[in-house]
Amino acid sequence: MPDRARQFYEYPPGMIDVQRSPAFEAFCHYYVHDSFGLSRREVDLGFLRALTADEVGLARSFLRANLHTRHVHIVKGVADLEDRTCVPLLRGMLGDEQDASRRLVIAGSLWRLDRDQIFVDLLEDMLRSSQCWLIKAHQGEILWVADYRAIDLMIQTLTVSCRVASAAIPHGPLVGSAHDRLQDTVRDEALRTLCAIEDRRHLTADQLPRRDACAYLERRAITDFVEAMVRNLREWYLPDVFPEVVVR
């Protein structure tokens, strides 16, 4: 392990000197040395399924030992490896975490591991907060809920009205055109996502949605529509876009 990585993380016995399979080498690269690709969702996590039982144990031990860092890829990693022993630790972390974005990350792993309803509550709080930077960062995670609530929350995002300025924005207040662009981005992403789920087909960057926001707002309470959207979400969208999220 490079010295820089050792400065940040604790390692379970045997992890440093173990003979590594290609899958475990990939785990060490992305979860220990360079998590940038994970943060940008550019990494195919299929290598996790190729880990041996012993390697899964080492990987889980590493992530569990370093949860205290609260690094996003570590918190998500315990869910990626389906380590339910981390649920009490995550609940403790959530209880004393003040940052809204980090609370959503922790709650997201709790949802994936234990279907903890606090995740849905925090998503609803997020939309009520009118903080566009927060909504944009976690908008896709709404769909992890994978039932009628996911569709309803995404439809609500079509009309989200973001505050012009907030002390909670980490890089200063958004004003004027910058604020309007971010709000439009959030709404446009919601519309493109809903269209993709309904049609079972992703839009390319230069394709415009075939429907507008009203088409979804008007059908929000129609049972057959919602059931069809949930079915497409569970059977196609989540396996395609979030294959690491187990649909139960």
Side-chain angles (χ1 to χ4, degrees), residues 149-202:
R149 293 170 295 181
I151 303 302
D152 191 68
L153 288 169
M154 191 59 73
I155 290 174
Q156 288 183 48
T157 311
L158 292 168
T159 58
V160 69
S161 180
C162 299
R163 291 205 302 244
V164 172
S166 171
I169 295 175
H171 304 297
L174 292 172
V175 295
S177 60
H179 164 268
D180 293 338
R181 285 196 301 270
L182 185 55
Q183 178 173 277
D184 289 346
T185 297
V186 168
R187 293 178 176 181
D188 182 64
E189 183 60 29
L191 181 59
R192 297 176 72 86
T193 299
L194 289 164
C195 286
I197 293 170
E198 184 168 14
D199 295 338
R200 290 198 177 211
R201 180 175 59 86
H202 295 293

Side-chain angles (χ1 to χ4, degrees), residues 8-244:
F8 287 111
Y9 297 127
E10 302 173 18
Y11 301 96
M15 182 171 174
I16 294 176
D17 301 320
V18 69
Q19 185 174 358
R20 299 177 188 171
S21 69
F24 195 67
E25 191 70 48
F27 170 83
C28 290
H29 175 75
Y30 290 115
Y31 286 89
V32 181
H33 305 308
D34 185 3
S35 63
F36 185 70
L38 289 175
S39 68
R40 293 173 60 88
R41 293 194 44 77
E42 297 172 347
V43 179
D44 181 352
L45 297 181
F47 63 85
L48 295 178
R49 294 189 292 274
L51 294 172
T52 67
D54 287 343
E55 289 171 341
V56 169
L58 278 176
R60 286 176 171 174
S61 294
F62 169 78
L63 295 171
R64 194 182 310 123
N66 291 286
L67 267 178
H68 65 89
T69 66
R70 306 193 180 219
H71 291 174
V72 170
H73 70 286
I74 298 289
V75 175
K76 290 185 174 180
V78 298
D80 293 339
L81 281 169
E82 300 181 47
D83 188 358
R84 296 194 74 257
T85 66
C86 290
V87 167
L89 294 172
L90 290 167
R91 289 200 173 115
M93 291 166 59
L94 185 64
D96 61 21
E97 180 58 62
Q98 300 299 313
D99 181 83
S101 183
R102 196 171 286 122
R103 282 176 61 80
L104 279 161
V105 172
I106 297 169
S109 285
L110 280 170
W111 172 263
R112 291 170 60 191
L113 291 170
D114 202 43
R115 290 300 183 264
D116 194 316
Q117 295 298 311
I118 188 64
F119 181 54
V120 181
D121 295 341
L122 290 179
L123 290 172
E124 292 173 344
D125 290 345
M126 175 185 75
L127 294 184
R128 285 193 293 266
S129 76
S130 300
Q131 294 175 7
C132 268
W133 67 269
L134 183 64
I135 297 170
K136 186 175 185 298
H138 297 279
Q139 189 169 5
E141 295 159 23
I142 289 172
L143 300 175
W144 294 0
V145 178
D147 60 23
Y148 72 92
R149 293 170 295 181
I151 303 302
D152 191 68
L153 288 169
M154 191 59 73
I155 290 174
Q156 288 183 48
T157 311
L158 292 168
T159 58
V160 69
S161 180
C162 299
R163 291 205 302 244
V164 172
S166 171
I169 295 175
H171 304 297
L174 292 172
V175 295
S177 60
H179 164 268
D180 293 338
R181 285 196 301 270
L182 185 55
Q183 178 173 277
D184 289 346
T185 297
V186 168
R187 293 178 176 181
D188 182 64
E189 183 60 29
L191 181 59
R192 297 176 72 86
T193 299
L194 289 164
C195 286
I197 293 170
E198 184 168 14
D199 295 338
R200 290 198 177 211
R201 180 175 59 86
H202 295 293
L203 295 173
T204 61
D206 59 347
Q207 286 180 312
L208 296 175
R210 295 193 300 114
R211 305 172 190 87
D212 60 14
C214 290
Y216 291 98
L217 293 166
E218 290 170 352
R219 293 182 289 168
R220 181 177 173 185
I222 298 176
T223 301
D224 288 347
F225 164 72
V226 174
E227 289 179 349
M229 291 287 284
V230 170
R231 185 165 55 251
N232 289 351
L233 172 63
R234 295 171 66 90
E235 295 177 358
W236 175 75
Y237 190 90
L238 282 174
D240 184 60
V241 179
F242 293 105
E244 70 274 18

